[in-house]
Amino acid sequence: MGSFSIWHWLVVLVIVLLVFGTKKLTSGAKDLGSAVKEFKKGMREEDKPNAQLSDSSRPQDATPTSQTEHDRDPR
């Protein structure tokens, strides 16, 4: 009952190939690879500092008003 030898693993591999087929296994491996790739890409993007907003992305009609100007405005 010791550890599995190489022959045990080969038999398991043949059974898995017979059950699932090579097409499903290759598509599953591609899906897993793309998932890992997207995860790594997301981790790299998370490490980058956030970009500051440029003046062009701010609304043009917004004018800053001070608290005193706001207090003086009778509404």
Side-chain angles (χ1 to χ4, degrees):
M1 292 295 294
S3 65
F4 291 108
S5 69
I6 188 71
W7 296 109
H8 291 104
W9 291 115
L10 288 174
V11 170
V12 169
L13 178 66
V14 168
I15 292 172
V16 168
L17 285 174
L18 288 174
V19 170
F20 293 109
T22 56
K23 187 163 182 111
K24 283 187 180 180
L25 288 177
T26 55
S27 67
K30 286 179 186 178
D31 291 341
L32 181 65
S34 65
V36 169
K37 185 177 179 181
E38 288 295 319
F39 177 76
K40 287 181 179 181
K41 181 181 174 184
M43 292 301 289
R44 279 193 306 265
E45 288 175 359
E46 186 177 291
D47 291 341
K48 293 180 183 176
N50 293 335
Q52 293 181 353
L53 293 175
S54 64
D55 289 336
S56 63
S57 65
R58 295 182 184 159
Q60 297 298 326
D61 59 70
T63 57
T65 58
S66 66
Q67 184 66 27
T68 57
E69 289 176 3
H70 181 66
D71 290 341
R72 283 189 240 152
D73 189 22
R75 289 189 189 184

